[in-house]
Amino acid sequence: MAAETASRVAIVTGAARGIGAATAWRLAQDGFAVALLDLDVESCAEAAEKINASGGRALAAAVDVSDSEQVTAVVQKVADELGAPTVLVNNAGILRDNLLFKMTDDDWDAVMNVHLRGAFLMSRAVQKFQTEQGWGRIVNLSSTSALGNRGQANYATAKAGLQGFTKTLAIELGKFGVTVNAIAPGFIATEMTAATAARIKVDFEDFKKAAASQIPVARVGTPDDIAHTVSFLVSEGAGFVSGQVIYVAGGPKD
Ligand code: NAP
């Protein structure tokens, strides 16, 4: 366990599966105590238990990141049970894809609430501990969809919004030793992309093959690809990297 991270506490939202679960596991391997948060505590319990059984420290807790009261309560719970949280990975996310003319008010609001309001509420609650400690790391999950993607007016807007949020928090929190960055993944094989394949009635293996054929490194991404990048951004040595958006997409994006 790295000495500098021995007492550091990380929160990962949407940690039940996919990128969040891989990130929670990776940060535990890096020596962080990890709070795995998701809508349903049961969905994270096994992953937290696995970390504890491997000699790490973890807890699972339920939160809807778009609910202000729940966010305040869960961040305090993490502070009480694991210690002051100084690392936050805003990963919780949902899709409500549809072409604009079919997109409902609820499709729009639900996506804004989880991605934007959720990242805002979680970051506001955690920065209190980060600024007190004089050290912190926030990583927001954006997406290549921020550059525009058919059928994702809501999601693309939220993911582009997270990039502005990232740069602004980097400016505000830098003097407190807190860095804030965003990762914009391309195609990562998770239940989220599997659900997209199911929605458009394409076999997931075929969907992945078609995606890989358009990706310079000739494969789709894995949750570990993203967890590895989070691991770098929250490390001690990444203290001069802030306000950046890192596209992790197997090739260049602009
Ligand atoms: P995933 O497999 O769908 O996992 C997302 C997790 O977030 C789920 O466990 C979900 O819980 C949880 N969640 C949803 N709403 C929540 C809320 N209000 N409060 C707390 N937790 C909530 O997604 P993923 O593919 O790992 O993606 C993780 C992040 O990366 C997302 O922000 C996504 O937009 C972003 N991303 C993914 C890709 C990709 O290709 N997979 C690409 C670019 C960006 P439930 O299961 O209970 O709903």
Side-chain angles (χ1 to χ4, degrees):
M1 181 180 294
E4 70 272 11
T5 57
S7 59
R8 289 192 172 148
V9 177
I11 292 177
V12 181
T13 69
R17 60 175 200 241
I19 294 168
T23 298
W25 175 253
R26 175 61 191 256
L27 296 188
Q29 301 314 302
D30 289 348
F32 292 93
V34 184
L36 294 91
L37 309 186
D38 211 291
L39 283 169
D40 168 13
V41 65
E42 287 313 313
S43 61
C44 292
E46 203 177 312
E49 197 39 55
K50 192 175 155 206
I51 291 170
N52 287 322
S54 73
R57 270 194 325 136
L59 70 76
V63 69
D64 176 346
V65 295
S66 66
D67 183 306
S68 188
E69 280 180 22
Q70 288 186 35
V71 165
T72 305
V74 85
V75 171
Q76 190 58 51
K77 177 183 165 75
V78 172
D80 292 344
E81 296 184 23
L82 288 181
T86 50
V87 171
L88 170 64
V89 184
N90 283 311
N91 169 78
I94 59 168
L95 293 178
R96 295 286 184 274
D97 294 356
N98 234 327
L99 292 174
L100 179 63
F101 77 102
K102 287 193 278 191
M103 189 170 282
T104 66
D105 294 13
D106 188 55
D107 291 336
W108 182 267
D109 292 342
V111 167
M112 295 304 152
N113 281 338
V114 177
H115 296 270
L116 285 180
R117 185 177 160 83
F120 157 64
L121 293 175
M122 287 297 306
S123 302
R124 189 178 61 181
V126 170
Q127 62 77 34
K128 169 175 169 290
F129 295 95
Q130 296 174 317
T131 53
E132 277 169 13
Q133 302 288 317
W135 190 91
R137 301 280 187 259
I138 298 175
V139 179
N140 297 313
L141 266 295
S142 179
S143 169
T144 52
S145 293
L147 301 168
N149 200 21
R150 184 179 167 81
Q152 292 195 317
N154 49 2
Y155 186 79
T157 301
K159 292 307 198 185
L162 277 172
Q163 297 189 8
F165 181 66
T166 298
K167 290 168 196 279
T168 300
L169 296 200
I171 292 166
E172 291 187 13
L173 298 176
K175 67 180 174 192
F176 301 102
V178 180
T179 68
V180 187
N181 291 286
I183 297 172
F187 189 114
I188 309 296
T190 68
E191 285 186 38
M192 184 178 269
T193 37
T196 299
R199 191 177 63 80
I200 62 172
K201 299 186 174 54
V202 175
D203 175 73
F204 192 38
E205 291 308 313
D206 293 340
F207 194 54
K208 284 190 286 189
K209 263 187 217 142
S213 74
Q214 303 299 313
I215 297 172
V217 302
R219 67 168 176 88
V220 298
T222 66
D224 285 341
D225 288 321
I226 307 304
H228 190 69
T229 313
V230 176
S231 173
F232 163 68
L233 287 172
V234 306
S235 68
E236 194 62 37
F240 206 52
V241 181
S242 197
Q244 300 304 302
V245 179
I246 301 183
Y247 283 86
V248 181
K253 292 282 168 187
D254 55 28

